[in-house]
Amino acid sequence: MTHNSVNGVLGRILEEDGSHGRAAISISGDAIAGVRRTDSPDSPEGLLRLPEEFTVVPGFVDLHCHGGFGVDFPTSDAAGAREAVSRIHRTGTTTLLASLVTAEPQALLDGAERFAGLAESGAIAGIHLEGPFLSHARCGAQNPDWLINPDLDLVRGLAAAARGALRTMTFAPELPGSAELVDVLASLGVVPSVGHTAASPEVAREALARAARELARHETGPGAVPTVTHLFNGMDPVHHRSPGALSACLRAARAGHAVVELIADNVHLAPDTVAMVFELVGADNIALVTDSMAAAGLSDGTYSLGPSQVQVSGGVARLKAGGSIAGGTSTMASLVRNAVDAGVPLKDALHSATHVPARVLGLDGQAGVLKEGARADLVVLDERLEVRGVMRGGQWLSTPR
């Protein structure tokens, strides 16, 4: 980590209406001390003046990340995971959940305990469990050998092993015991996430409604709502006579009762699909996620996703056995660029990459925003939306240049 005596930056920011303004952002310790709009090109003493074409945005927040830079979170040791997280931070993702895939129960318990330590150190914001309570019909790259129906004792054991760091869990609502699972997750402060499901619209709709009620009842956080794991992927496609869970998920998001994840990497979703969902449900109900795996940040080759072997070719990760898409290889910054290229306004793409996922994690006002009192997590983008500098917790990981 690079230490720097500069206590803030003077540069262009994006206003709420999508226009650009200029602001002096002062930093005190690990927090933003103030954001003062200014038309002056002169930099107050101690503030780093950025080039006119650079824009300061909040650090990105990723709810769904299985690893990167050669490290597979589900099977890594603590040291390897910590190094990968550090490198992911330097790409502009200053807040992330470590995602674990379906595996035997003991492996999940070990993983929860391992990443609890990283959460306690502040390296990650917590843990996302993608399974093991998922549909065999829509398991995707998940190992079907370890898929099971909801086991409440296992959930409580996983939450205990995570020591408060378990933040979200993906489940298929059509499985027996899912209603009780939602209740237990909400009582533990864990956000239920519908995904890898072949549920009917009615079952998905009731699961999301129940999750929203239970999260509100347990006061999980301001405006806490359930999420939908990588919308469209791991679900039945929409048919006009059989719309599947997708229809319920889109309607819940449009009503503000759910946040849908979108992997805007031009692999999992076509650009037009991304633009369509933004127009249908609004940026405030969308969280851009990478679903990144070990190959993220590296070249093509053979990698792991949990117990499965993955071949990456042309940046696309697929299981060696069966050919299913097996996670992503993109960064959050590239998702923002892709969304903008698809026609999504920059302010909306950034909102879904910062503020919305922070809100899901109960970090509203603490992460994903440029405001007084928030953590000093900043990303400096150039005119092509490429990352030119990253600050995390008030310290430059890479100085803008």
Side-chain angles (χ1 to χ4, degrees):
M1 181 174 290
T2 302
H3 294 268
N4 195 301
S5 61
V6 172
N7 60 0
V9 295
L10 175 71
R12 192 171 66 163
I13 63 171
L14 201 65
E15 303 286 4
E16 289 185 4
D17 63 0
S19 65
H20 286 91
R22 200 164 176 78
I25 304 171
S26 54
I27 308 297
S28 177
D30 64 356
I32 296 175
V35 180
R36 180 173 60 85
R37 269 63 173 179
T38 177
D39 293 327
S40 172
D42 298 325
S43 176
E45 185 178 354
L47 266 63
L48 176 66
R49 180 180 175 181
L50 299 176
E52 295 289 332
E53 67 272 18
F54 285 8
T55 302
V56 184
V57 302
F60 303 124
V61 182
D62 192 358
L63 299 176
H64 194 151
C65 175
H66 296 286
F69 296 98
V71 175
D72 173 54
F73 286 163
T75 57
S76 68
D77 59 22
R82 187 176 297 277
E83 174 59 25
V85 167
S86 178
R87 296 184 71 177
I88 291 169
H89 288 160
R90 291 194 285 273
T91 70
T93 300
T94 52
T95 302
L96 70 143
L97 295 184
S99 299
L100 304 180
V101 295
T102 296
E104 60 178 316
Q106 190 58 53
L108 292 175
L109 290 164
D110 292 344
E113 184 172 0
R114 183 167 64 252
F115 282 97
L118 267 73
E120 290 164 349
S121 73
I124 61 173
I127 301 165
H128 160 228
L129 286 176
E130 192 174 9
F133 313 134
L134 309 176
S135 162
H136 277 84
R138 288 293 173 188
C139 64
Q142 303 283 328
N143 189 334
D145 293 341
W146 296 107
L147 294 177
I148 58 175
N149 290 334
D151 179 334
L152 303 187
D153 288 337
L154 176 58
V155 171
R156 294 187 181 97
L158 288 165
R163 304 194 294 274
L166 182 57
R167 307 302 298 274
T168 66
M169 185 174 197
T170 304
F171 74 104
E174 68 271 27
L175 298 181
S178 289
E180 294 79 8
L181 171 66
V182 165
D183 295 351
V184 169
L185 290 175
S187 72
L188 293 169
V190 180
V191 175
S193 187
V194 168
H196 285 283
T197 175
S200 67
E202 295 78 14
V203 169
R205 181 164 55 247
E206 174 52 33
L208 289 168
R210 187 184 190 107
R213 288 196 304 269
E214 288 299 306
L215 288 170
R217 186 167 75 86
H218 290 283
E219 299 180 346
T220 303
V225 295
T227 61
V228 177
T229 298
H230 46 50
L231 188 75
F232 291 97
N233 293 277
M235 296 181 176
D236 293 337
V238 171
H239 186 278
H240 58 283
R241 287 191 295 274
S242 180
L246 264 165
S247 60
C249 295
L250 286 168
R251 293 177 67 189
R254 181 68 180 85
H257 300 155
V259 167
V260 296
E261 294 181 357
L262 292 183
I263 312 174
D265 60 0
N266 298 342
V267 175
H268 287 80
L269 299 173
D272 279 350
T273 302
V274 173
M276 175 190 71
V277 176
F278 268 90
E279 292 174 5
L280 287 176
V281 310
D284 205 40
N285 303 305
I286 294 170
L288 294 178
V289 299
T290 63
D291 194 12
S292 67
M293 44 78 70
L298 300 179
S299 58
D300 290 354
T302 301
Y303 298 89
S304 296
L305 179 61
S308 302
Q309 289 294 297
V310 177
Q311 185 66 44
V312 179
S313 178
V316 180
R318 294 186 180 276
L319 289 182
K320 279 193 168 184
S324 293
I325 294 177
T329 61
S330 298
T331 64
M332 287 293 290
S334 66
L335 302 187
V336 170
R337 287 195 300 274
N338 291 341
V340 170
D341 288 344
V344 176
L346 176 58
K347 69 179 182 65
D348 289 346
L350 287 171
H351 188 68
S352 296
T354 58
H355 179 75
V356 175
R359 191 182 73 221
V360 169
L361 294 176
L363 298 176
D364 201 7
Q366 302 173 53
V369 290
L370 298 180
K371 62 182 291 186
E372 182 179 348
R375 196 172 69 180
D377 294 346
L378 314 177
V379 175
V380 179
L381 301 174
D382 64 18
E383 66 274 21
R384 297 181 303 277
L385 304 182
E386 297 282 352
V387 174
R388 299 300 292 267
V390 178
M391 174 185 284
R392 185 174 190 267
Q395 297 181 345
W396 288 110
L397 306 184
S398 59
T399 306
R401 54 184 175 81

